[in-house]
Coordinates of all heavy atoms in Angstrom, one line a residue:
M1 N 21.8 -8.7 -1.0 CA 20.8 -8.0 0.0 C 19.4 -7.8 -0.5 O 19.2 -7.3 -1.6 CB 21.3 -6.5 0.4 CG 22.4 -6.4 1.6 SD 21.8 -7.0 3.1 CE 21.1 -5.4 3.7
V2 N 18.5 -8.3 0.2 CA 17.1 -8.2 -0.1 C 16.5 -7.0 0.7 O 16.6 -6.9 1.9 CB 16.3 -9.5 0.1 CG1 14.9 -9.3 -0.4 CG2 17.1 -10.6 -0.6
K3 N 16.0 -6.1 -0.2 CA 15.3 -4.9 0.5 C 13.9 -5.2 0.8 O 13.2 -5.7 0.2 CB 15.4 -3.8 -0.4 CG 16.4 -2.8 0.0 CD 16.5 -1.6 -1.0 CE 16.1 -0.2 -0.4 NZ 16.0 0.7 -1.3
V4 N 13.6 -4.8 2.1 CA 12.0 -5.1 2.5 C 11.3 -3.9 1.9 O 11.7 -2.7 2.0 CB 12.1 -5.0 4.1 CG1 10.6 -5.1 4.5 CG2 12.9 -6.1 4.6
K5 N 10.4 -4.3 1.3 CA 9.4 -3.3 0.8 C 8.4 -2.8 1.7 O 8.0 -3.6 2.5 CB 8.9 -3.8 -0.5 CG 9.9 -3.9 -1.7 CD 9.2 -4.6 -2.8 CE 10.4 -4.7 -4.0 NZ 10.0 -5.9 -4.8
K6 N 7.8 -1.6 1.5 CA 6.7 -1.2 2.3 C 5.5 -1.1 1.4 O 5.6 -0.7 0.3 CB 7.0 0.2 2.9 CG 8.0 0.1 4.1 CD 8.0 1.3 4.9 CE 9.2 1.4 5.9 NZ 9.1 0.4 6.9
C7 N 4.5 -1.4 2.0 CA 3.1 -1.3 1.3 C 2.9 0.1 0.8 O 2.9 0.9 1.7 CB 2.0 -2.0 2.0 SG 0.5 -1.9 1.4
S8 N 2.5 0.2 -0.4 CA 2.3 1.6 -0.9 C 0.9 2.2 -0.3 O 0.9 3.4 -0.3 CB 2.1 1.5 -2.3 OG 3.2 1.1 -3.1
F9 N 0.1 1.3 0.2 CA -1.0 1.8 0.9 C -0.9 2.1 2.3 O -1.1 3.1 2.9 CB -2.3 1.1 0.3 CG -3.5 1.7 0.9 CD1 -4.1 2.8 0.3 CD2 -4.2 1.2 2.1 CE1 -5.3 3.4 0.8 CE2 -5.4 1.8 2.5 CZ -5.9 2.9 1.9
C10 N -0.7 0.8 3.0 CA -0.8 0.9 4.5 C 0.5 1.4 5.0 O 0.5 1.8 6.3 CB -1.4 -0.4 5.1 SG -0.2 -1.8 4.9
G11 N 1.5 1.1 4.4 CA 2.9 1.5 5.0 C 3.6 0.5 5.8 O 4.8 0.8 6.3
Y12 N 2.9 -0.6 6.0 CA 3.8 -1.6 6.7 C 4.7 -2.5 5.9 O 4.6 -2.5 4.6 CB 2.7 -2.7 7.3 CG 1.9 -2.1 8.4 CD1 0.5 -1.8 8.2 CD2 2.5 -1.9 9.7 CE1 -0.3 -1.3 9.2 CE2 1.6 -1.4 10.8 CZ 0.4 -1.1 10.6 OH -0.4 -0.5 11.5
D13 N 5.6 -3.2 6.4 CA 6.7 -3.8 5.7 C 6.0 -5.1 5.0 O 5.2 -5.8 5.6 CB 7.8 -4.4 6.7 CG 8.7 -3.2 7.1 OD1 8.6 -2.2 6.5 OD2 9.5 -3.5 8.2
I14 N 6.5 -5.4 4.0 CA 6.0 -6.6 3.2 C 7.0 -7.7 3.3 O 8.2 -7.5 2.9 CB 5.8 -6.3 1.7 CG1 4.8 -5.1 1.6 CG2 5.3 -7.5 1.0 CD1 4.6 -4.6 0.1
P15 N 6.6 -9.0 3.8 CA 7.6 -9.9 4.1 C 8.1 -10.4 2.7 O 7.4 -10.3 1.7 CB 6.8 -11.0 4.7 CG 5.6 -10.3 5.2 CD 5.3 -9.2 4.4
I16 N 9.5 -10.8 2.7 CA 10.1 -11.3 1.4 C 9.4 -12.4 0.8 O 8.8 -13.3 1.5 CB 11.5 -11.7 1.8 CG1 12.4 -10.8 2.5 CG2 12.1 -12.1 0.4 CD1 12.5 -9.4 1.8
G17 N 8.9 -12.2 -0.6 CA 8.3 -13.2 -1.2 C 6.7 -13.1 -1.2 O 6.1 -13.8 -1.8
K18 N 6.3 -12.1 -0.3 CA 4.9 -11.8 -0.2 C 4.5 -10.6 -0.8 O 5.3 -9.8 -1.4 CB 4.5 -11.8 1.3 CG 4.7 -13.0 2.1 CD 3.5 -13.9 2.2 CE 3.9 -15.1 2.9 NZ 2.9 -16.0 3.1
G19 N 3.3 -10.4 -1.0 CA 2.9 -9.0 -1.4 C 2.6 -9.0 -3.1 O 2.9 -10.1 -3.7
H20 N 2.1 -8.0 -3.6 CA 1.7 -8.0 -4.9 C 2.4 -6.7 -5.5 O 2.2 -5.5 -4.9 CB 0.3 -7.8 -5.0 CG -0.6 -8.8 -4.3 ND1 -1.0 -10.0 -5.0 CD2 -0.8 -9.2 -3.0 CE1 -1.7 -10.8 -4.1 NE2 -1.4 -10.4 -3.0
M21 N 2.9 -6.7 -6.6 CA 3.5 -5.6 -7.2 C 2.6 -5.1 -8.3 O 2.0 -5.9 -9.1 CB 4.9 -5.7 -7.7 CG 5.6 -4.5 -8.2 SD 7.4 -4.8 -8.5 CE 7.3 -5.5 -10.0
F22 N 2.3 -3.7 -8.4 CA 1.6 -3.2 -9.5 C 2.3 -2.1 -10.2 O 2.7 -1.2 -9.5 CB 0.3 -2.7 -8.8 CG -0.9 -2.2 -9.8 CD1 -1.7 -3.0 -10.6 CD2 -0.9 -0.8 -10.1 CE1 -2.6 -2.5 -11.5 CE2 -1.8 -0.4 -11.1 CZ -2.6 -1.1 -11.7
I23 N 2.3 -2.1 -11.5 CA 2.9 -1.1 -12.2 C 1.9 -0.2 -13.0 O 1.2 -0.8 -13.8 CB 3.9 -1.6 -13.2 CG1 5.1 -2.4 -12.3 CG2 4.8 -0.4 -14.0 CD1 6.0 -3.2 -13.3
K24 N 1.8 1.0 -12.7 CA 0.9 1.9 -13.3 C 1.4 2.2 -14.7 O 2.5 2.0 -15.2 CB 0.7 3.2 -12.5 CG 0.0 3.0 -11.2 CD -0.6 4.2 -10.6 CE 0.2 5.3 -10.2 NZ -0.6 6.4 -9.6
K25 N 0.4 2.8 -15.6 CA 0.7 3.1 -16.9 C 1.8 4.2 -17.1 O 2.6 4.1 -18.1 CB -0.5 3.6 -17.6 CG -1.4 2.5 -18.0 CD -2.7 3.1 -18.7 CE -3.6 1.9 -18.9 NZ -5.0 2.4 -19.0
D26 N 1.9 5.0 -16.0 CA 3.1 5.9 -16.0 C 4.4 5.5 -15.5 O 5.2 6.2 -15.4 CB 2.7 7.3 -15.4 CG 2.3 7.0 -13.7 OD1 2.7 5.9 -13.3 OD2 1.8 8.0 -13.0
G27 N 4.3 4.3 -15.2 CA 5.7 3.5 -14.8 C 5.9 3.5 -13.2 O 6.9 3.0 -12.7
T28 N 5.0 4.2 -12.5 CA 5.1 4.2 -11.0 C 4.9 2.7 -10.5 O 3.9 2.1 -10.8 CB 4.0 5.0 -10.4 OG1 4.0 6.4 -11.0 CG2 4.2 5.3 -8.9
I29 N 5.8 2.3 -9.6 CA 5.6 0.9 -9.0 C 5.1 1.1 -7.8 O 5.5 1.8 -6.9 CB 7.0 0.2 -9.1 CG1 7.5 0.1 -10.4 CG2 6.9 -1.1 -8.4 CD1 9.1 -0.4 -10.4
L30 N 3.9 0.2 -7.6 CA 3.3 0.3 -6.4 C 3.4 -1.1 -5.7 O 3.3 -2.1 -6.5 CB 1.7 0.6 -6.4 CG 1.4 2.0 -7.1 CD1 0.0 2.1 -7.3 CD2 1.9 2.9 -6.1
N31 N 3.7 -1.2 -4.4 CA 3.7 -2.5 -3.7 C 2.5 -2.6 -2.8 O 2.5 -1.7 -1.9 CB 5.2 -2.8 -3.0 CG 6.2 -2.7 -4.0 OD1 6.4 -3.8 -4.9 ND2 7.0 -1.8 -4.0
F32 N 1.9 -3.8 -2.9 CA 0.8 -3.9 -1.9 C 1.0 -5.1 -1.0 O 1.4 -6.3 -1.6 CB -0.4 -4.0 -2.5 CG -0.8 -2.8 -3.3 CD1 -0.8 -2.7 -4.7 CD2 -1.1 -1.6 -2.6 CE1 -1.0 -1.6 -5.3 CE2 -1.5 -0.4 -3.3 CZ -1.4 -0.4 -4.7
C33 N 0.8 -5.1 0.2 CA 0.9 -6.3 1.2 C -0.2 -7.3 0.9 O 0.1 -8.6 1.0 CB 1.1 -5.9 2.5 SG -0.4 -5.0 3.2
T34 N -1.3 -6.8 0.8 CA -2.5 -7.7 0.6 C -3.3 -7.3 -0.5 O -3.3 -6.0 -0.8 CB -3.3 -7.8 1.9 OG1 -3.8 -6.5 2.2 CG2 -2.5 -8.4 3.0
P35 N -4.3 -8.0 -1.1 CA -5.2 -7.5 -2.0 C -6.2 -6.5 -1.5 O -6.8 -5.6 -2.2 CB -6.0 -8.9 -2.5 CG -5.1 -10.0 -2.2 CD -4.3 -9.5 -1.0
K36 N -6.3 -6.5 -0.1 CA -7.0 -5.6 0.6 C -6.6 -4.2 0.3 O -7.2 -3.1 -0.1 CB -7.0 -5.9 1.9 CG -7.9 -5.1 2.9 CD -7.6 -5.4 4.3 CE -8.3 -4.5 5.4 NZ -8.0 -4.8 6.8
C37 N -5.3 -4.1 0.4 CA -4.7 -2.7 0.2 C -4.7 -2.4 -1.3 O -4.8 -1.1 -1.6 CB -3.1 -2.9 0.6 SG -2.9 -2.9 2.4
R38 N -4.5 -3.3 -2.2 CA -4.6 -2.9 -3.6 C -5.9 -2.5 -3.9 O -6.1 -1.5 -4.6 CB -4.3 -4.3 -4.5 CG -4.2 -4.0 -5.9 CD -3.8 -5.3 -6.5 NE -4.5 -6.5 -6.3 CZ -5.6 -6.7 -7.0 NH1 -6.2 -6.0 -7.8 NH2 -6.4 -7.8 -6.6
K39 N -6.9 -3.1 -3.6 CA -8.2 -2.7 -3.7 C -8.6 -1.3 -3.1 O -9.3 -0.5 -3.7 CB -9.4 -3.7 -3.2 CG -9.6 -4.8 -4.2 CD -10.7 -5.8 -3.6 CE -10.6 -7.1 -4.4 NZ -11.1 -8.1 -3.4
A40 N -8.1 -1.1 -1.8 CA -8.4 0.2 -1.2 C -7.8 1.3 -2.0 O -8.5 2.3 -2.1 CB -7.8 0.0 0.2
M41 N -6.6 1.2 -2.6 CA -6.0 2.2 -3.2 C -6.5 2.2 -4.7 O -6.7 3.5 -5.2 CB -4.5 1.9 -3.2 CG -3.7 3.2 -3.8 SD -2.0 3.1 -3.6 CE -1.6 4.6 -2.8
L42 N -6.6 1.2 -5.4 CA -6.9 1.3 -6.9 C -8.4 1.2 -7.2 O -8.8 1.9 -8.2 CB -6.3 0.2 -7.6 CG -4.8 0.2 -7.5 CD1 -4.1 -1.1 -8.1 CD2 -4.1 1.3 -8.0
V43 N -9.2 0.7 -6.4 CA -10.6 0.5 -6.6 C -11.4 1.5 -5.9 O -12.0 2.3 -6.5 CB -11.1 -1.0 -6.5 CG1 -12.6 -1.0 -6.9 CG2 -10.4 -2.0 -7.3
A44 N -11.2 1.5 -4.4 CA -11.9 2.4 -3.7 C -11.4 3.7 -3.7 O -12.1 4.6 -3.3 CB -12.0 1.6 -2.3
K45 N -10.1 3.8 -4.0 CA -9.4 5.1 -4.0 C -9.4 5.8 -2.6 O -9.8 7.0 -2.5 CB -9.7 6.0 -5.1 CG -9.6 5.5 -6.5 CD -9.7 6.6 -7.5 CE -9.7 6.0 -9.1 NZ -8.7 5.0 -9.3
K46 N -9.1 5.1 -1.7 CA -9.1 5.5 -0.3 C -7.9 6.4 0.0 O -6.8 6.1 -0.5 CB -9.4 4.4 0.7 CG -10.6 3.7 0.8 CD -10.8 2.9 1.9 CE -12.2 2.2 1.8 NZ -12.3 1.4 2.9
N47 N -8.0 7.4 0.9 CA -6.9 8.0 1.4 C -6.3 7.4 2.7 O -7.0 7.1 3.5 CB -7.4 9.4 1.8 CG -6.2 10.3 2.2 OD1 -5.2 9.9 2.5 ND2 -6.5 11.7 2.2
P48 N -5.0 6.9 2.6 CA -4.4 6.1 3.6 C -4.5 6.9 4.9 O -4.6 6.3 6.1 CB -3.0 6.0 3.4 CG -2.9 6.1 1.8 CD -4.0 7.1 1.5
R49 N -4.4 8.3 4.9 CA -4.5 9.1 6.1 C -6.0 8.9 6.8 O -6.1 9.4 7.9 CB -4.0 10.5 5.9 CG -2.7 10.7 5.6 CD -2.2 12.0 5.5 NE -0.9 12.1 5.0 CZ -0.6 12.2 3.6 NH1 -1.6 12.3 2.8 NH2 0.7 12.2 3.3
K50 N -7.0 8.6 6.0 CA -8.2 8.5 6.7 C -8.7 7.0 6.7 O -9.9 6.7 6.9 CB -9.2 9.4 5.6 CG -9.1 10.7 5.7 CD -9.9 11.5 4.7 CE -9.5 13.1 4.7 NZ -10.1 13.7 3.6
T51 N -7.7 6.2 6.6 CA -8.1 4.8 6.7 C -7.5 4.1 8.1 O -6.2 4.2 8.2 CB -7.6 4.0 5.5 OG1 -8.3 4.6 4.4 CG2 -8.1 2.6 5.5
R52 N -8.1 3.7 8.9 CA -7.9 3.3 10.2 C -6.6 2.3 10.3 O -5.8 2.4 11.2 CB -8.9 2.7 11.0 CG -9.7 3.6 11.8 CD -10.0 3.1 13.2 NE -10.4 4.3 13.9 CZ -11.6 4.4 14.6 NH1 -12.5 3.4 14.4 NH2 -11.9 5.4 15.3
W53 N -6.6 1.3 9.5 CA -5.6 0.3 9.6 C -4.3 0.5 8.9 O -3.5 -0.4 8.7 CB -6.3 -1.0 9.1 CG -7.1 -1.1 7.9 CD1 -8.4 -0.7 7.7 CD2 -6.7 -1.2 6.5 NE1 -8.8 -0.7 6.4 CE2 -7.7 -0.9 5.7 CE3 -5.4 -1.4 6.0 CZ2 -7.7 -1.0 4.4 CZ3 -5.2 -1.4 4.6 CH2 -6.4 -1.2 3.8
T54 N -4.0 1.8 8.5 CA -2.8 2.1 8.0 C -1.9 2.9 9.0 O -2.4 3.4 9.9 CB -2.9 3.0 6.6 OG1 -3.1 4.4 7.0 CG2 -4.0 2.5 5.7
V55 N -0.5 2.9 8.7 CA 0.4 3.5 9.5 C 0.2 5.1 9.4 O 0.7 5.7 10.2 CB 1.8 3.1 9.5 CG1 2.1 1.6 9.8 CG2 2.4 3.4 8.1
Y56 N -0.4 5.6 8.4 CA -0.5 7.0 8.0 C -1.7 7.5 8.7 O -1.9 8.7 8.6 CB -0.6 7.2 6.5 CG 0.6 6.6 5.8 CD1 0.5 5.4 4.9 CD2 2.0 7.0 6.1 CE1 1.6 5.0 4.2 CE2 3.0 6.5 5.3 CZ 2.8 5.4 4.5 OH 3.9 4.9 3.7
Y57 N -2.7 6.7 9.3 CA -3.8 7.2 9.7 C -3.6 8.3 10.9 O -2.7 8.1 11.9 CB -4.6 6.1 10.4 CG -6.0 6.6 11.1 CD1 -7.0 6.9 10.2 CD2 -6.1 6.6 12.4 CE1 -8.3 7.3 10.7 CE2 -7.4 7.1 12.8 CZ -8.5 7.4 12.0 OH -9.6 7.8 12.6
G58 N -4.1 9.4 10.7 CA -4.0 10.5 11.7 C -2.7 11.3 11.6 O -2.6 12.2 12.3
K59 N -1.9 11.0 10.6 CA -0.8 11.7 10.4 C -0.9 12.8 9.3 O -1.8 12.5 8.3 CB 0.5 10.8 10.0 CG 0.9 10.1 11.1 CD 2.1 9.2 10.9 CE 2.5 8.2 11.9 NZ 3.5 7.2 11.4
Q60 N -0.1 13.8 9.3 CA -0.2 14.8 8.2 C 0.8 14.5 7.3 O 1.9 14.2 7.5 CB 0.0 16.2 8.9 CG -1.0 16.6 9.9 CD -2.4 16.7 9.1 OE1 -2.4 17.4 8.0 NE2 -3.3 16.3 9.7
Ligands
ZN1 ZN1 -0.6 -2.9 2.9

């Protein structure tokens, strides 16, 4: 069984074999669907709830 992963930033499903995995120094595993999401979270440090193109936008 292959589990579908969700993007750690935008919350959308990542197709099997796609996406980028990032492991933080503290061991937290982050999955990103696109480099756009990786940059938004790690470089720009955006809040997914304040970013329009995520599923978390507007949610508490
Ligand atoms: Zn994403």
Side-chain angles (χ1 to χ4, degrees):
M1 269 301 267
V2 184
K3 258 179 114 179
V4 175
K5 289 173 184 155
K6 285 194 191 299
C7 179
S8 298
F9 186 76
C10 70
Y12 289 106
D13 290 343
I14 302 170
I16 306 299
K18 300 262 177 179
H20 305 256
M21 193 168 75
F22 181 86
I23 301 166
K24 292 208 284 190
K25 280 182 189 149
D26 64 7
T28 310
I29 298 170
L30 300 169
N31 293 292
F32 298 110
C33 60
T34 59
K36 182 186 176 187
C37 288
R38 184 172 56 84
K39 275 184 202 157
M41 191 174 226
L42 300 175
V43 183
K45 300 199 189 306
K46 289 188 183 189
N47 184 339
R49 291 189 189 89
K50 291 176 181 168
T51 306
R52 266 228 166 116
W53 42 270
T54 72
V55 296
Y56 304 114
Y57 181 74
K59 290 183 185 170
Q60 289 302 312

